[in-house]
Amino acid sequence: MSLPFCTTRRVEFSDTDAAGIMHFSAFFRFMEQAEHDLLRSQGLSVVMQDEVAKSGGGKLSWPRVHAHCDFRIPAHYEDVVEIEVSISRLGEKSASYQFRFALAGRELAVGEITSVCCRMIAGQPPQSVAIPDWFRAKLLPFVVSAADG
Ligand SMILES: CC(C)(COP(=O)(O)OP(=O)(O)OC[C@H]1O[C@@H](n2cnc3c(N)ncnc32)[C@H](O)[C@@H]1OP(=O)(O)O)[C@@H](O)C(=O)NCCC(=O)NCCSC(=O)c1cc(O)c2ccccc2c1O
């Protein structure tokens, strides 16, 4: 059984629109930050060195290839949003993170981001690579299994 990673974010004034509700673009920032929080909790980051990097092979990084979000109810300035993060798919080169936003237990929004493991070398386009075993092992506890329903 997987465990979702849980974090919270307060809706700041700059996250809201003229109607005083949380702007859709802020949900994407919250998703990105929640993904980074999950990685940090495991001693990982979206920009890391590894053995290959130490020998001049660039850094491991995770450009996004897909993002979506469905918005169910509005959030407002000062609301504290609960965010549950789990991994809906851990492929050879990519990880899809699923986000459930809630306000006082009510579903606020659900979203997903897919990030691809890439080697980044300055001046060159990103090159996708297999997720290294040491990185994959730390993501595995968050992968949603069929038994999680
Ligand atoms: C990323 C690419 C170089 C990948 O190209 P490639 O040709 O190597 O891709 P493949 O077809 O082989 O697929 C690899 C892998 O990705 C999965 N995949 C590809 N497309 C999709 C998709 N649309 N939806 C879901 N999954 C997809 C595919 O299934 C494979 O996974 P497996 O697990 O099955 O092996 C190339 O696509 C590229 O360069 N794209 C452009 C990326 C980009 O510019 N994105 C927008 C901005 S990036 C960004 O916002 C960003 C945010 C951050 O917070 C960052 C933090 C730190 C570092 C970087 C960040 C960052 O870039």
Side-chain angles (χ1 to χ4, degrees):
M1 192 173 126
S2 69
L3 287 177
F5 173 79
C6 299
T7 186
T8 58
R9 279 289 309 275
R10 185 180 301 276
V11 179
E12 303 292 351
F13 191 72
S14 58
D15 295 320
T16 61
D17 66 9
I21 66 175
M22 181 166 159
H23 193 250
F24 78 93
S25 62
F27 283 90
F28 288 86
R29 285 197 298 278
F30 280 28
M31 286 197 282
E32 179 176 41
Q33 286 159 357
E35 175 198 350
H36 292 189
D37 285 352
L38 180 153
L39 294 175
R40 238 175 251 130
S41 76
Q42 300 303 303
L44 301 173
S45 166
V46 283
V47 181
M48 287 193 89
Q49 291 225 313
D50 65 356
E51 289 307 314
V52 182
K54 282 183 199 149
S55 54
K59 288 185 175 171
L60 278 186
S61 192
W62 293 80
R64 315 300 142 96
V65 286
H66 176 81
H68 75 252
C69 194
D70 295 324
F71 312 101
R72 310 272 196 238
I73 57 171
H76 299 87
Y77 175 50
E78 300 281 25
D79 281 343
V80 176
V81 177
E82 301 135 30
I83 311 168
E84 270 188 18
V85 191
S86 48
I87 297 177
S88 50
R89 181 177 179 273
L90 187 58
E92 187 199 349
K93 296 177 169 180
S94 68
S96 297
Y97 298 85
Q98 163 181 294
F99 303 86
R100 290 190 179 282
F101 295 84
L103 256 186
R106 282 187 73 197
E107 189 169 84
L108 172 65
V110 288
E112 191 175 65
I113 284 180
T114 301
S115 307
V116 180
C117 185
C118 285
R119 196 157 289 291
M120 300 288 216
I121 300 174
Q124 295 183 23
Q127 181 195 339
S128 63
V129 293
I131 302 170
D133 288 345
W134 56 269
F135 205 116
R136 174 181 297 278
K138 293 194 169 185
L139 297 183
L140 276 174
F142 302 101
V143 176
V144 179
S145 67
D148 293 326

